[in-house]
Amino acid sequence: MEKQMEETISDQREIMSHQEAAPKKQKGGLITMPFIIANEAFEKLASYGLAPNMILYLMRDYHFGVAKGTNILFFWNAATNFTPIVGAFLSDSYLGRFLTIGLGSICSLLGMILLWLTAVIPGAKPPPCNQLAKSCKSPTTAQVTFLMSSFAIMSIGAGGVRACCLAFGADQLDRRDNPKNQRVLERFFGWYYASAALSLVIAFTGIVYIQDHLGWKVGFAVPAIFMFFSALSFFFASSLTENFRCRHKLLVGSYHHGKGSLFVVPTDKLRFLNKACIIRSPEQDIAPDGSALNPWSLCTIQQVEELKALIKVIPLWSSGMIMSINISQNSFPILQASSMNRHISSSFQIPAGSFGTFTVISLVVWVAMYDRVFIPLASKIKGKPTRLGVKLRMGLGIFFSCMAMVVSGIVENVRRRKAIRDGHLNNPHAVLDISAMWLVPQHCLIGFAEACNAIGQTEFYYSEFPKSMSSIASSLFGLGMAVANLLASVIISAVDHNTSKGGKESWVSSNINKGRFDNYYWLLAIISVVNLLYFLVCSWAYGPCVDHITSVKNEGNGLEGEEELSNLRT
């Protein structure tokens, strides 16, 4: 045993000395940022430019009801948010981040071209409704399949791009070379989301305006063109970026681990999992090249520690789903805005699909104020570096999303009573004499919720997970959004089914004035309050985070906390 430990220490020193002697990388760095950011910005500009008005496209051109159309969008969003976790696995295990992003960009472009063809080819969708006979022909199976194929291919493409862009950009900056600034990670994520949000502002204003005034043919062509430039900018930077590969496995001591790994023995957390990496018989468990003969029965220490990290965050991860359901309520606010006065002057009115811009603006404002005003001011008052922990920000996001649903219910209740007083109960297309600007507060609260919780979640996973799980860490929030979209579909289907029994008008009726969207919002608010209590319990049970440990260590021991952070992250 002593001999094995000596060999372990010797091998470990050899690995570390080799790493120290390695020549400094020539690729990567700040020069790659414009290309990576351009790829991400163009991709978001293209994909999110399609989302705001899609419910109107499904209702007007494919003759779907509001409940069915909303469910289709929920499933599309679920697929779009789920595929990044698959892309992260393929990236970290097989393809690498560069190839994964490249293939994803191509798939997204192909999907957008197919969606554009649904607007260009006359037979790709049902004919317009017969206004005289008041009848609408339903789409055929082939037409629905063609439409869904475009959604599916775009979701696959999003899985490649969104799984890796965040981690790929962080790799180029090589933050391991700068461990002394404990706010680098926080600021990086904050401004990353803020810059991406700027592209959403353009999508929710410019592209939505084009769709409203120039039609679907041009409105779907523009995102496809942006996606083309997204792929082009990324491949153009291929000679500048640093691409990381998976490392081969190596046997050290009585445990099986990867070459270059700093894990000599597994940690004591969730110790019952440690037996998965114990070598019981080298002759029967290990191949001549040092790999496991049966990977299903023998794992590396790195794999065990990754599984531990994943299991530990699941409760907190699940607490973010209800908030994700709240921020994914995109269809109903558009229908509300369509029925309200959207004029800001006698000659110009805000497109209904552009009200999501206020969500994005609120997100950007929160990030800017937090980073440039709140943190410096709080640090000056306290006389030492101050910041809000990731779990606190996650909790604030859940609270803001709850308040957004309360405000949404109040505004919708006022709007509906106005419609009834004006005699528009049976006319869902009537435009009421009530300003659509009353919808702005709920959008702002959603923006604050996403700024706190989404950024906090991503930073939380990225800090708590080993570096080998960087792509998975950046995709885990998207996975929560995927599950949330499925749950949202279940909720809206249950509400539609149970509130329409006995011939009653459904809460989510296609006639927004007959429906009770306000009750639907208040139902979500009640669920959000219960979820907030659940989050508090999960947060208490999780214990201190890496960022909290580092902060405490830094206050008492100088750089000791930074060293511990480096060890935990590695």
Side-chain angles (χ1 to χ4, degrees):
M1 186 66 182
E2 292 181 0
K3 185 176 180 181
Q4 288 180 335
M5 289 302 297
E6 290 177 0
E7 293 175 352
T8 298
I9 296 173
S10 177
D11 290 339
Q12 187 66 27
R13 288 175 176 172
E14 182 180 350
I15 292 171
M16 296 179 68
S17 63
H18 177 73
Q19 292 173 342
E20 292 174 357
K24 191 174 182 178
K25 298 193 300 286
Q26 299 298 315
K27 294 184 177 182
L30 293 175
I31 193 173
T32 64
M33 289 299 102
F35 300 98
I36 295 174
I37 291 175
N39 173 258
E40 179 79 359
F42 280 134
E43 191 276 334
K44 288 189 179 297
L45 188 60
S47 59
Y48 284 96
L50 297 172
N53 279 336
M54 190 56 67
I55 184 63
L56 301 179
Y57 184 62
L58 296 180
M59 293 176 66
R60 296 173 182 175
D61 290 64
Y62 281 84
H63 312 149
F64 291 130
V66 63
K68 185 173 183 179
T70 301
N71 271 331
I72 290 174
L73 296 183
F74 276 143
F75 285 125
W76 180 28
N77 290 333
T80 301
N81 288 311
F82 175 77
T83 51
I85 203 70
V86 179
F89 171 77
L90 293 175
S91 168
D92 287 347
S93 302
Y94 301 103
L95 301 179
R97 289 168 189 154
F98 179 84
L99 184 57
T100 303
I101 297 173
L103 293 175
S105 300
I106 294 174
C107 285
S108 292
L109 176 61
L110 292 177
M112 291 178 188
I113 291 175
L114 287 182
L115 181 63
W116 172 69
L117 291 177
T118 65
V120 172
I121 302 175
K125 57 187 177 183
C129 295
N130 188 331
Q131 299 296 335
L132 295 177
K134 294 183 178 180
S135 62
C136 298
K137 187 177 180 180
S138 299
T140 64
T141 302
Q143 290 169 339
V144 174
T145 301
F146 191 72
L147 175 67
M148 297 305 167
S149 296
S150 68
F151 288 163
I153 296 175
M154 282 190 287
S155 295
I156 294 172
V161 175
R162 300 180 191 181
C164 304
C165 263
L166 191 62
F168 190 65
D171 287 341
Q172 306 311 309
L173 293 175
D174 194 16
R175 65 187 181 283
R176 292 169 299 173
D177 294 339
N178 184 24
K180 295 184 178 181
N181 187 355
Q182 69 177 45
R183 292 194 59 233
V184 166
L185 191 62
E186 179 182 335
R187 297 184 66 181
F188 171 75
F189 285 127
W191 287 107
Y192 171 87
Y193 277 99
S195 61
L198 292 177
S199 62
L200 301 190
V201 172
I202 300 175
F204 289 161
T205 53
I207 295 180
V208 168
Y209 185 86
I210 290 173
Q211 291 170 352
D212 281 356
H213 292 79
L214 300 181
W216 302 115
K217 294 180 182 179
V218 179
F220 289 161
V222 172
I225 294 173
F226 278 123
M227 194 63 233
F228 171 77
F229 284 110
S230 172
L232 186 66
S233 67
F234 183 75
F235 285 112
F236 184 77
S238 61
S239 61
L240 302 175
T241 56
E242 177 72 19
N243 304 317
F244 296 89
R245 300 290 182 182
C246 299
R247 297 175 177 177
H248 299 292
K249 294 176 181 178
L250 176 71
L251 169 65
V252 177
S254 60
Y255 295 102
H256 191 49
H257 73 87
K259 183 178 180 180
S261 172
L262 295 182
F263 283 109
V264 179
V265 294
T267 62
D268 289 334
K269 295 182 294 185
L270 301 175
R271 290 182 3 183
F272 67 93
L273 294 174
N274 292 347
K275 60 183 179 182
C277 60
I278 295 176
I279 301 171
R280 293 172 176 81
S281 174
E283 294 78 12
Q284 298 178 6
D285 295 341
I286 302 300
D289 63 352
S291 62
L293 287 173
N294 185 2
W296 292 102
S297 62
L298 180 62
C299 303
T300 64
I301 300 176
Q302 186 75 20
Q303 290 170 330
V304 170
E305 293 303 315
E306 289 173 356
L307 179 60
K308 288 179 181 180
L310 192 59
I311 292 175
K312 192 178 179 184
V313 303
I314 285 177
L316 277 173
W317 169 78
S318 65
S319 69
M321 291 181 187
I322 301 301
M323 189 221 66
S324 297
I325 290 176
N326 294 341
I327 68 177
S328 65
Q329 302 296 321
N330 301 319
S331 300
F332 298 149
I334 291 177
L335 297 179
Q336 289 175 285
S338 298
S339 69
M340 302 170 76
N341 181 8
R342 293 175 278 115
H343 282 89
I344 57 176
S345 69
S346 59
S347 59
F348 179 77
Q349 66 175 357
I350 303 175
S354 294
F355 275 81
T357 305
F358 293 104
T359 298
V360 181
I361 292 175
S362 300
L363 189 153
V364 175
V365 169
W366 174 273
V367 171
M369 294 291 289
Y370 175 79
D371 190 61
R372 296 297 183 183
V373 178
F374 176 77
I375 290 300
L377 182 61
S379 299
K380 184 177 181 179
I381 293 174
K382 297 189 68 174
K384 61 181 180 180
T386 303
R387 60 190 295 270
L388 295 181
V390 289
K391 290 196 294 184
L392 178 57
R393 280 180 278 145
M394 290 162 63
L396 285 174
I398 295 175
F399 173 76
F400 283 136
S401 73
C402 177
M403 295 304 299
M405 294 302 100
V406 172
V407 172
S408 299
I410 294 173
V411 172
E412 172 55 20
N413 184 267
V414 173
R415 189 210 65 80
R416 183 176 181 273
R417 286 193 284 112
K418 173 69 173 175
I420 295 174
R421 286 199 306 268
D422 293 350
H424 297 306
L425 182 64
N426 296 313
N427 184 10
H429 303 296
V431 177
L432 307 179
D433 185 22
I434 179 173
S435 176
M437 299 305 289
W438 282 104
L439 299 173
V440 173
Q442 66 194 57
H443 283 289
C444 291
L445 286 170
I446 288 295
F448 294 151
E450 190 168 1
C452 292
N453 191 276
I455 297 176
Q457 274 198 61
T458 305
E459 181 185 338
F460 172 70
Y461 304 137
Y462 213 78
S463 299
E464 297 293 306
F465 283 4
K467 180 173 171 54
S468 58
M469 299 178 69
S470 295
S471 295
I472 294 177
S474 61
S475 302
L476 207 54
F477 175 75
L479 178 61
M481 284 289 293
V483 178
N485 290 138
L486 296 178
L487 290 177
S489 177
V490 171
I491 292 174
I492 195 173
S493 297
V495 168
D496 184 45
H497 174 74
N498 288 286
T499 60
S500 60
K501 288 181 178 179
K504 296 180 181 179
E505 195 72 30
S506 169
W507 283 4
V508 288
S509 170
S510 295
N511 185 336
I512 187 175
N513 296 329
K514 282 188 174 182
R516 295 304 304 266
F517 287 6
D518 51 346
N519 289 348
Y520 175 71
Y521 283 132
W522 285 331
L523 173 64
L524 293 180
I526 294 172
I527 297 174
S528 298
V529 171
V530 176
N531 180 64
L532 180 58
L533 298 176
Y534 171 69
F535 168 81
L536 294 175
V537 173
C538 293
S539 178
W540 170 80
Y542 187 88
C545 300
V546 167
D547 67 333
H548 175 75
I549 294 173
T550 306
S551 178
V552 172
K553 290 286 187 177
N554 281 341
E555 290 180 7
N557 301 309
L559 295 180
E560 183 180 345
E562 290 154 2
E563 295 170 356
E564 180 157 346
L565 173 61
S566 178
N567 293 335
L568 287 169
R569 281 287 295 119
T570 310

